[in-house]
Amino acid sequence: MQLGMVGLGRMGANIVRRLMKDGHECVVYDTNKDAVAALVAEGATGADDMADLAAKLQTPRAAWAMVPASITGKVVEQIAAVFEPGDAIIDGGNSNYRDDVRRGEKFAKVGIDYIDAGTSGGVFGLERGYCLMVGGPDAAVARLEPIFRTIAPGAGDTPRTPGRSGDLAPEELGYLHCGPSGAGHFVKMVHNGIEYGIMAALAEGLNILHNADAGTREAEHSAEIAPLEEPEFYKFTIDTPKVAELWRRGSVISSWLLDLTAAALEENHELNGLAGRVSDSGEGRWTVKAAVDVGVPAPVLASALFERFASRDEDQYANQLLSAMRLQFGGHKELPAGDVLEAGGRKAEHEQ
Amino acid sequence: MQLGMVGLGRMGANIVRRLMKDGHECVVYDTNKDAVAALVAEGATGADDMADLAAKLQTPRAAWAMVPASITGKVVEQIAAVFEPGDAIIDGGNSNYRDDVRRGEKFAKVGIDYIDAGTSGGVFGLERGYCLMVGGPDAAVARLEPIFRTIAPGAGDTPRTPGRSGDLAPEELGYLHCGPSGAGHFVKMVHNGIEYGIMAALAEGLNILHNADAGTREAEHSAEIAPLEEPEFYKFTIDTPKVAELWRRGSVISSWLLDLTAAALEENHELNGLAGRVSDSGEGRWTVKAAVDVGVPAPVLASALFERFASRDEDQYANQLLSAMRLQFGGHKELPAGDVLEAGGRKAEHEQ
Amino acid sequence: MQLGMVGLGRMGANIVRRLMKDGHECVVYDTNKDAVAALVAEGATGADDMADLAAKLQTPRAAWAMVPASITGKVVEQIAAVFEPGDAIIDGGNSNYRDDVRRGEKFAKVGIDYIDAGTSGGVFGLERGYCLMVGGPDAAVARLEPIFRTIAPGAGDTPRTPGRSGDLAPEELGYLHCGPSGAGHFVKMVHNGIEYGIMAALAEGLNILHNADAGTREAEHSAEIAPLEEPEFYKFTIDTPKVAELWRRGSVISSWLLDLTAAALEENHELNGLAGRVSDSGEGRWTVKAAVDVGVPAPVLASALFERFASRDEDQYANQLLSAMRLQFGGHKELPAGDVLEAGGRKAEHEQ
Amino acid sequence: MQLGMVGLGRMGANIVRRLMKDGHECVVYDTNKDAVAALVAEGATGADDMADLAAKLQTPRAAWAMVPASITGKVVEQIAAVFEPGDAIIDGGNSNYRDDVRRGEKFAKVGIDYIDAGTSGGVFGLERGYCLMVGGPDAAVARLEPIFRTIAPGAGDTPRTPGRSGDLAPEELGYLHCGPSGAGHFVKMVHNGIEYGIMAALAEGLNILHNADAGTREAEHSAEIAPLEEPEFYKFTIDTPKVAELWRRGSVISSWLLDLTAAALEENHELNGLAGRVSDSGEGRWTVKAAVDVGVPAPVLASALFERFASRDEDQYANQLLSAMRLQFGGHKELPAGDVLEAGGRKAEHEQ
């Protein structure tokens, strides 16, 4: 079927390619004319502006906005301005689901169907397909199912879950209508929250392995930390790149994120050039706030988020306060990195 | 090559089957005679006791102990008692790596090679193969490589990590010599610590989805918690079994544990019959203690462990204390489950 | 000076008493006529309704609303309806500071000063005084300083902080103008977030002491948890009520919450009748959400909040999922509370 | 009564001073002759070596070792070598309670009473007295009660806990016999674990206040973090030194650690010269390990410990791994501190 695509960055363009490969017709628009031209060269129909986009789409129209979350609001308004009752707008970006709830209600009043499509797959999506978490009105989502089916990965070589039989359900093909407007991005939000947790679990574990040799280098940082009590048990030099590769086969923790970890470590054994300042996007934050709102515990997801904050030194003032308190109650001086403690000085480190 | 197997429970027996299928010769022993007989019927050589086991193995001998961690110490001593210098004992169970370090040193003195083989794969190992994390003396581990290679999953259909080329390395076949005695179980220990973290990330996230309808059932538990401030954003009824299935395809969090989650939810949509009292084995605990010992932060892995403790009500006394404090400073009465708060009573819940 | 008080619950009434004792004049109003009558008997002027309240206050008027957060919005609107430009409304309840920001802007447009006064002190406030965290326009806050000074505890017997000299600053008397509208409740919100953290630290620590005898009762719950590896180190029977009392004198953790803990344990040594279902009010939640918003790590404050959620079994679905996953990958059956594990069965508990 | 003191650092010397002021007789020894001379000048009896110490003490002797934990083992052995059956050795340092359990058993065999005395009070102890948590044999602890009573703070001006009456119990005077050898340091260990938690709660909360102005400086770090969604609610400039001072009066979180925080902030408003690299001593670590051993959740205490590890960049490798994973799945480049994101670039930050 026919789909308009607004926003031809990496993801938007790849979705268009995936759709055209499967026989769908795409009308594409971006403020970047080169991006439009590139896809026109591959078979898409180019649009000069929103009005042109609307003109080139048959009714009931459907346009997919694949733009940064910060401008999604503006872009979907522009699309709505040239669309008519019965048309549908799909937001495939990383919007906060609350915006979808609001927009869904608003556009419903003018007869336009608003659909949120949480999209996972990263840079591998063109080849693997994109996992789609969809929210919106039943009829509109049903009408656009051929689009979702093409963008999604399909069953692929994922083994079927025991107990399932008969025709493949949409979720087995990689897309799911999760509920009304907002439900798609809500599920996508939690997906990313889980992603943070899994990433952190892998990173923390590998960090322990990386430090399994602490017993062999005790002296060098003895000034700052409590002495390692049983250094004889921490004398392993673990090759973490090999371990990450190993776990990909047959272990309980095999996962796509582990595949990526192994790839990253193969590419850059020592992780050179990485400072370890980890960014975060909105979804991890929204997930923790949602957990707090509905009152369910999420210590793993919250810890994973907070570790990222700390990686960017956002814990600085808190840590200075801790040092300041220690100075007050015990006269404990803060020790610079790498300092060696004078004999007998350990006592000063103890907090009474 | 030839291997003795001591302990013919599910895992021991399946490893024997996997070895025999690949042409290895197995001499098997268990205190349970039926278990021995069953494998003899499948082609193994049965042993009547440890001495018989030793007699039926050619030197240099190799015996794999696959017994509960609580009796591993006793069993490996029994094997050692009938073995000679040059022979090797492999502990394939879930020993604490510290025991391996100690045993490795002890057996080295009498010329016996002690090898620890952390083994992951669960009930699926017979078919999938077992991921092997091996620690021990270089020569002995090298001698036994054919055994490890057979037990391990092999390359299977796991895509090769970009950047790797040439012959497949052992870690690409699912086994790795991680270091001296103890290194195998150390890596396995951290593997399980990560497993706890990933499981918890999935469980917490799905719990949030499960409660995405909190805004529709606010009244029923309003007495106990702060009121949901924006119920309009929590009116989704998410089908978590379908979502778990969905994420298996193309999403960033696709993983074997997600496969199992989808299978569990397909088998038992409502999780009937499960009380949510989650057991833990030693590895998760040892991982947290190792992190504390070497001084690296592991909040995600620790939180995952603590959630299991709390699931078994080990937080009971702490919670009673919190209720008791609240009663002291604010006169806040503890509210029974399901109570409805009288009008205006919310104020009493606020902590001044 | 003169103050109107709307809401004569425990806190409102006690603030009125504290004000009158210091020579201030109070006009009091509540929908509960008995509450009004009780304070009139103690010397207050009673008001029949809001209009009467306004009539009995001299301009520029000042009225303090001390009502449940859920009705604060309505009540301050009612006050504003009978007030004039130049008058001031103080919200002494536990409002979300965001509501203060909004109300402050709204009332500023009609010339009414809106002041938020976060109030801490609990049931002890009448005697101890209430710690006041105030937000609002400079001139209005300055005008009402005599009121704040009376309600606040004053310097009391708190030793002066080293380095401070000269006249006592407001913060040394127990009240502080923290910033514009909302700043008072923002500081109060974080105060309560910290309170959750301190309470949890005490509760967790005492729970460890309470279980210091784990090595003497290992058998009874061996089925559910990993075996205690060194029971010889956990054979202490600690008298936690005595320890809480002990720490009140000279220890680093002496604190008012410890005082309350000691009092609670003295009153009810075994904490009988407390189920350990811990309520939470909005402030702890808002604190965590604020931390997430500004991007600073708050794992301790978040953990303290999540423990309360878990105490009310809001972790139930997550825990059932964990049990379900364990059943899938290891065939691990969930063990009922108190079960004794059959010999050799420990192995089944290990996760491969 | 008479007491030998071995180890005349700040704490040992001050305990001697406190004892002598109350009429006790002290025989003092240290390898530092000047330290001995200083106390002799104040009235103590000096000892030239351990044998001299033993000679100058009447039987049954009692000697208090107040030395760094790292040499405690050696020092108590030296004392034991010159002591006789019936004598007592008190370890007042920060030993791991497990060492006390072992030493208690060992010395019991030669008739020497071993007592562990966990000591809290920091640099303020000379004046305030030291809170004493004592473990050891009943008779020996009872015999030395006059010593403990003098070192402890006494009832002071701490208000009596409601419900207590009659003679003051030892715990009301600041010392407590907690149980057999090891129980004293066990209770002290948990005390310090709680201390970490309270410190972290205060530090995290004040860090949130410190960043309550995030909405006014959004631009400067927008490249690294998710954009602040509602900057209008984060425009407060909170004076944290004043807030810390304020909370000391009448608030629920008033505590000695808050007193110290206020003092630290008064002394150094901007915390200049503090890098925020926070040391930790053994007790916080042992507490978390004890919680893991006995299987009770301690997420707050563990988080507090892990924050200290992270403050010393022990999370570095984990964070590099997170950045490396993000680079793999999303092509997300790590952004240097302070970078400004190009227009539209936010999208790249989102994790699909």
Side-chain angles (χ1 to χ4, degrees):
Chain A
M1 63 188 295
Q2 197 195 38
L3 182 75
M5 177 64 68
V6 177
L8 303 174
R10 184 178 51 202
M11 282 194 68
N14 281 345
I15 290 176
V16 166
R17 289 185 183 104
R18 205 168 157 87
L19 286 167
M20 295 195 300
K21 212 167 68 180
D22 203 33
H24 296 285
E25 183 191 336
C26 292
V27 183
V28 302
Y29 174 67
D30 195 300
T31 53
N32 175 345
K33 298 298 170 198
D34 293 345
V36 175
L39 283 169
V40 167
E42 297 181 38
T45 302
D48 296 330
D49 52 31
M50 289 292 181
D52 191 34
L53 179 89
K56 285 171 172 162
L57 290 168
Q58 296 130 26
T59 56
R61 299 177 186 86
W64 185 294
M66 199 76 209
V67 297
S70 55
I71 62 166
T72 297
K74 195 182 67 178
V75 168
V76 298
E77 291 288 352
Q78 290 171 342
I79 299 175
V82 296
F83 268 29
E84 293 167 289
D87 293 348
I89 302 172
I90 305 126
D91 171 15
N94 282 299
S95 298
N96 188 323
Y97 78 94
R98 292 173 173 235
D99 291 329
D100 299 316
V101 172
R102 290 187 201 104
R103 288 173 196 150
E105 282 174 16
K106 180 180 171 185
F107 290 128
K109 288 176 188 155
V110 295
I112 292 177
D113 292 310
Y114 187 80
I115 294 170
D116 52 295
T119 306
S120 180
V123 295
F124 297 79
L126 174 57
E127 185 189 337
R128 276 177 35 135
Y130 299 90
C131 181
L132 291 181
M133 296 148 258
V134 182
D138 290 353
V141 172
R143 176 167 73 85
L144 292 165
E145 188 154 350
I147 295 292
F148 299 135
R149 186 182 282 248
T150 292
I151 296 173
D157 50 11
T158 307
R160 197 162 200 191
T161 293
R164 282 182 172 268
S165 60
D167 289 345
L168 290 170
E171 63 268 25
E172 294 182 277
L173 298 168
Y175 66 96
L176 181 68
H177 184 197
C178 300
S181 288
H185 276 138
F186 191 93
V187 173
K188 175 58 164 53
M189 169 188 83
V190 173
H191 167 278
N192 282 35
I194 294 172
E195 177 188 313
Y196 280 35
I198 296 177
M199 289 172 73
L202 290 165
E204 289 183 5
L206 289 165
N207 194 19
I208 296 171
L209 291 184
H210 187 66
N211 284 281
D213 64 348
T216 64
R217 54 185 166 77
E218 177 56 358
E220 64 186 86
H221 59 186
S222 66
E224 278 175 89
I225 61 166
L228 187 55
E229 283 161 358
E230 298 165 303
E232 66 272 26
F233 292 121
Y234 297 101
K235 301 216 160 166
F236 303 119
T237 304
I238 306 291
D239 188 324
T240 48
K242 287 187 180 170
V243 169
E245 183 64 40
L246 170 71
W247 286 340
R248 298 180 65 217
R249 289 176 180 81
S251 98
V252 171
I253 62 171
S254 59
S255 56
W256 195 50
L257 282 162
L258 179 63
D259 293 350
L260 297 182
T261 305
L265 285 167
E266 174 63 26
E267 192 179 305
N268 184 355
H269 277 231
E270 305 295 328
L271 301 174
N272 293 322
L274 291 168
R277 297 179 65 85
V278 191
S279 296
D280 74 282
S281 56
E283 291 86 356
R285 298 185 179 204
W286 304 331
T287 300
V288 172
K289 289 164 78 173
V292 170
D293 277 344
V294 300
V296 303
V300 160
L301 307 189
S303 292
L305 179 67
F306 291 144
E307 286 183 301
R308 293 193 178 195
F309 293 170
S311 81
R312 302 192 307 257
D313 296 331
E314 300 288 357
D315 54 352
Q316 172 76 359
Y317 187 72
N319 291 333
Q320 288 177 294
L321 280 167
L322 292 176
S323 284
M325 284 185 229
R326 295 183 81 247
L327 195 59
Q328 286 289 323
F329 70 70
H332 305 303
K333 292 240 174 54
E334 205 176 50
L335 294 164
D339 237 39
V340 175
L341 192 65
E342 69 279 21
R346 169 64 51 200
K347 184 184 177 185
E349 285 312 291
H350 275 280
E351 289 164 25
Q352 303 296 340
Chain B
M1 63 188 295
Q2 198 196 37
L3 183 76
M5 176 64 68
V6 178
L8 303 175
R10 186 178 51 202
M11 283 194 69
N14 281 345
I15 289 176
V16 166
R17 291 186 182 102
R18 204 168 158 88
L19 285 167
M20 294 194 301
K21 211 167 68 180
D22 204 32
H24 296 284
E25 183 190 337
C26 292
V27 183
V28 300
Y29 174 67
D30 195 299
T31 52
N32 176 344
K33 296 300 168 197
D34 293 345
V36 174
L39 283 169
V40 167
E42 297 181 38
T45 302
D48 296 330
D49 53 30
M50 288 292 180
D52 191 34
L53 179 90
K56 284 171 172 162
L57 290 168
Q58 296 130 24
T59 57
R61 300 177 186 87
W64 185 294
M66 200 77 208
V67 296
S70 55
I71 62 165
T72 297
K74 195 181 68 176
V75 167
V76 298
E77 290 289 351
Q78 290 171 341
I79 299 174
V82 295
F83 268 28
E84 294 168 289
D87 292 349
I89 301 172
I90 305 125
D91 171 16
N94 282 300
S95 298
N96 188 323
Y97 79 93
R98 292 175 172 231
D99 292 328
D100 300 316
V101 172
R102 290 186 201 105
R103 289 174 196 149
E105 282 173 17
K106 180 180 171 184
F107 290 128
K109 287 178 187 155
V110 296
I112 292 177
D113 291 310
Y114 187 80
I115 294 170
D116 52 294
T119 306
S120 180
V123 296
F124 298 79
L126 173 58
E127 185 189 338
R128 276 178 34 134
Y130 299 90
C131 182
L132 291 180
M133 297 148 256
V134 182
D138 290 354
V141 173
R143 176 166 74 86
L144 293 166
E145 187 153 350
I147 295 293
F148 300 135
R149 185 182 283 248
T150 292
I151 297 173
D157 50 10
T158 308
R160 198 163 200 190
T161 293
R164 283 183 172 267
S165 59
D167 290 344
L168 290 170
E171 63 268 22
E172 294 182 276
L173 298 168
Y175 64 97
L176 180 68
H177 184 197
C178 299
S181 288
H185 277 139
F186 190 93
V187 172
K188 175 58 164 53
M189 169 189 83
V190 172
H191 166 278
N192 282 35
I194 293 172
E195 176 188 311
Y196 280 35
I198 296 178
M199 289 172 74
L202 290 166
E204 289 182 4
L206 289 165
N207 194 19
I208 297 170
L209 291 185
H210 187 66
N211 285 279
D213 63 348
T216 64
R217 53 183 167 79
E218 178 57 358
E220 65 186 88
H221 59 185
S222 65
E224 279 175 87
I225 62 164
L228 187 55
E229 283 161 0
E230 298 164 302
E232 66 271 26
F233 293 121
Y234 297 101
K235 302 216 160 164
F236 303 119
T237 302
I238 305 291
D239 187 324
T240 48
K242 287 188 179 170
V243 169
E245 183 64 41
L246 171 71
W247 286 340
R248 298 180 66 217
R249 289 174 180 82
S251 97
V252 170
I253 63 171
S254 58
S255 57
W256 195 51
L257 283 162
L258 179 63
D259 293 350
L260 297 183
T261 305
L265 285 167
E266 174 63 26
E267 193 179 304
N268 183 356
H269 277 232
E270 304 295 329
L271 301 174
N272 293 323
L274 291 169
R277 297 179 65 85
V278 190
S279 296
D280 74 283
S281 56
E283 292 86 357
R285 298 185 178 204
W286 303 332
T287 300
V288 172
K289 289 165 78 173
V292 169
D293 277 342
V294 301
V296 304
V300 161
L301 307 190
S303 292
L305 179 66
F306 291 144
E307 286 183 302
R308 294 194 177 194
F309 294 170
S311 82
R312 302 191 307 256
D313 296 330
E314 299 288 356
D315 54 352
Q316 171 76 356
Y317 188 72
N319 292 333
Q320 288 177 295
L321 280 167
L322 293 176
S323 283
M325 284 185 229
R326 296 183 80 246
L327 195 59
Q328 285 290 323
F329 69 70
H332 305 304
K333 291 242 174 53
E334 203 175 52
L335 294 164
D339 239 39
V340 175
L341 192 65
E342 68 279 23
R346 169 63 50 198
K347 185 182 177 185
E349 285 311 290
H350 276 280
E351 289 165 26
Q352 304 297 339
Chain C
M1 64 188 293
Q2 198 196 37
L3 183 76
M5 176 64 68
V6 179
L8 302 175
R10 185 179 50 204
M11 283 193 69
N14 281 345
I15 290 175
V16 166
R17 290 186 183 103
R18 206 169 156 87
L19 285 167
M20 293 194 302
K21 210 167 68 180
D22 204 33
H24 297 283
E25 183 191 337
C26 293
V27 183
V28 301
Y29 175 67
D30 195 299
T31 52
N32 177 343
K33 298 298 169 198
D34 293 344
V36 175
L39 283 169
V40 168
E42 297 180 39
T45 303
D48 296 330
D49 52 30
M50 289 292 182
D52 190 33
L53 179 89
K56 285 172 172 162
L57 291 168
Q58 296 129 25
T59 57
R61 299 177 186 85
W64 184 294
M66 200 76 210
V67 297
S70 55
I71 62 166
T72 297
K74 195 181 68 178
V75 167
V76 297
E77 290 288 352
Q78 290 171 342
I79 300 175
V82 295
F83 269 28
E84 294 166 289
D87 293 348
I89 301 172
I90 305 126
D91 171 16
N94 282 300
S95 299
N96 188 323
Y97 79 94
R98 291 174 173 233
D99 290 329
D100 300 315
V101 172
R102 290 186 200 104
R103 289 174 195 149
E105 283 174 15
K106 180 179 171 186
F107 289 128
K109 288 177 188 154
V110 295
I112 291 177
D113 291 310
Y114 187 80
I115 294 170
D116 52 296
T119 306
S120 180
V123 294
F124 298 79
L126 173 58
E127 184 189 339
R128 276 177 36 134
Y130 299 89
C131 182
L132 291 180
M133 297 149 257
V134 182
D138 290 352
V141 172
R143 176 166 73 85
L144 292 165
E145 188 153 350
I147 296 292
F148 300 135
R149 186 181 283 246
T150 291
I151 297 174
D157 50 10
T158 308
R160 197 162 201 192
T161 294
R164 282 184 173 267
S165 59
D167 290 344
L168 290 169
E171 62 269 24
E172 294 182 277
L173 298 168
Y175 65 96
L176 181 68
H177 184 198
C178 300
S181 288
H185 276 139
F186 190 93
V187 172
K188 175 58 163 54
M189 169 188 83
V190 173
H191 166 277
N192 282 34
I194 293 171
E195 177 188 311
Y196 281 35
I198 295 178
M199 289 173 72
L202 289 166
E204 290 183 4
L206 289 165
N207 193 19
I208 297 170
L209 290 185
H210 187 66
N211 284 279
D213 64 348
T216 65
R217 53 182 167 80
E218 177 57 357
E220 65 186 85
H221 58 187
S222 65
E224 279 175 87
I225 62 165
L228 187 55
E229 283 161 359
E230 297 165 302
E232 67 271 25
F233 292 122
Y234 296 101
K235 302 215 160 166
F236 303 119
T237 304
I238 305 290
D239 187 324
T240 48
K242 287 188 180 171
V243 169
E245 183 64 41
L246 171 70
W247 287 339
R248 298 180 66 218
R249 290 176 180 80
S251 97
V252 171
I253 62 172
S254 59
S255 56
W256 195 50
L257 283 162
L258 178 63
D259 294 349
L260 297 182
T261 305
L265 285 167
E266 174 63 26
E267 192 179 305
N268 184 355
H269 277 233
E270 304 296 328
L271 302 174
N272 293 322
L274 291 168
R277 298 179 64 86
V278 191
S279 296
D280 75 281
S281 56
E283 292 85 357
R285 299 184 178 205
W286 304 331
T287 301
V288 172
K289 289 165 78 172
V292 169
D293 276 343
V294 301
V296 303
V300 161
L301 306 189
S303 292
L305 180 66
F306 290 144
E307 287 183 300
R308 294 194 177 193
F309 293 171
S311 81
R312 301 192 307 257
D313 296 331
E314 300 287 356
D315 54 352
Q316 172 77 358
Y317 188 72
N319 291 333
Q320 288 178 294
L321 280 167
L322 293 176
S323 284
M325 284 185 227
R326 296 184 80 247
L327 195 60
Q328 285 290 323
F329 69 69
H332 305 303
K333 291 240 174 52
E334 204 174 52
L335 294 164
D339 239 39
V340 175
L341 193 66
E342 68 278 23
R346 169 63 52 200
K347 185 183 176 185
E349 284 313 288
H350 277 280
E351 289 164 24
Q352 303 295 340
Chain D
M1 64 187 294
Q2 198 197 35
L3 182 76
M5 176 65 68
V6 178
L8 303 175
R10 185 179 48 204
M11 282 193 68
N14 280 345
I15 289 175
V16 167
R17 289 186 182 104
R18 204 167 158 88
L19 285 166
M20 294 194 301
K21 212 167 68 181
D22 204 33
H24 297 284
E25 183 190 337
C26 293
V27 183
V28 301
Y29 173 68
D30 195 301
T31 53
N32 177 342
K33 298 297 170 199
D34 292 345
V36 175
L39 283 168
V40 168
E42 297 180 39
T45 302
D48 296 331
D49 52 30
M50 289 293 181
D52 191 33
L53 179 89
K56 285 172 171 160
L57 290 168
Q58 296 130 23
T59 56
R61 299 177 186 87
W64 184 294
M66 199 77 209
V67 297
S70 56
I71 61 166
T72 297
K74 196 181 67 179
V75 167
V76 298
E77 290 288 352
Q78 290 171 343
I79 299 175
V82 296
F83 269 28
E84 293 167 288
D87 292 349
I89 301 172
I90 305 126
D91 172 15
N94 282 298
S95 298
N96 188 323
Y97 78 94
R98 292 174 172 232
D99 291 329
D100 299 315
V101 173
R102 290 186 201 104
R103 287 175 196 148
E105 283 174 15
K106 181 180 170 184
F107 290 128
K109 288 177 188 155
V110 296
I112 291 177
D113 292 310
Y114 187 80
I115 294 170
D116 52 295
T119 306
S120 180
V123 295
F124 297 79
L126 173 58
E127 185 189 338
R128 278 179 32 136
Y130 300 90
C131 182
L132 290 181
M133 296 149 256
V134 182
D138 290 353
V141 172
R143 176 166 72 85
L144 292 165
E145 187 154 349
I147 295 293
F148 300 135
R149 186 182 282 247
T150 292
I151 297 174
D157 50 10
T158 308
R160 198 163 199 190
T161 294
R164 282 183 173 267
S165 59
D167 289 344
L168 290 170
E171 63 269 22
E172 293 183 277
L173 297 169
Y175 65 95
L176 181 68
H177 184 198
C178 300
S181 289
H185 276 138
F186 191 93
V187 173
K188 175 58 163 55
M189 170 188 83
V190 173
H191 166 278
N192 282 36
I194 293 172
E195 176 188 312
Y196 280 35
I198 296 177
M199 289 172 73
L202 290 165
E204 289 183 4
L206 289 165
N207 193 19
I208 296 170
L209 290 185
H210 186 66
N211 284 279
D213 64 347
T216 64
R217 53 184 167 77
E218 178 56 0
E220 65 186 85
H221 59 185
S222 66
E224 278 175 87
I225 61 165
L228 187 56
E229 282 161 358
E230 298 165 302
E232 66 272 27
F233 293 122
Y234 296 102
K235 302 217 159 165
F236 303 119
T237 303
I238 306 291
D239 187 324
T240 49
K242 286 188 180 171
V243 169
E245 183 64 41
L246 170 71
W247 286 340
R248 297 179 66 217
R249 288 173 182 82
S251 98
V252 171
I253 63 171
S254 59
S255 56
W256 195 50
L257 282 163
L258 178 64
D259 293 350
L260 297 182
T261 305
L265 286 167
E266 174 63 25
E267 191 179 307
N268 183 355
H269 276 232
E270 305 295 329
L271 300 175
N272 293 322
L274 291 168
R277 297 179 65 84
V278 191
S279 296
D280 73 283
S281 56
E283 292 86 356
R285 298 185 178 204
W286 304 331
T287 300
V288 172
K289 289 165 78 172
V292 169
D293 277 343
V294 300
V296 303
V300 161
L301 306 190
S303 292
L305 179 66
F306 291 144
E307 287 183 301
R308 293 194 178 194
F309 293 170
S311 82
R312 302 192 306 258
D313 296 332
E314 300 287 357
D315 54 352
Q316 172 75 359
Y317 188 72
N319 291 333
Q320 288 177 293
L321 279 166
L322 293 176
S323 284
M325 284 184 228
R326 296 183 80 247
L327 196 59
Q328 285 289 324
F329 70 69
H332 306 303
K333 291 241 175 53
E334 203 175 54
L335 294 165
D339 240 39
V340 175
L341 193 66
E342 69 278 24
R346 169 64 51 199
K347 184 184 176 185
E349 284 312 289
H350 277 280
E351 290 164 24
Q352 304 296 338

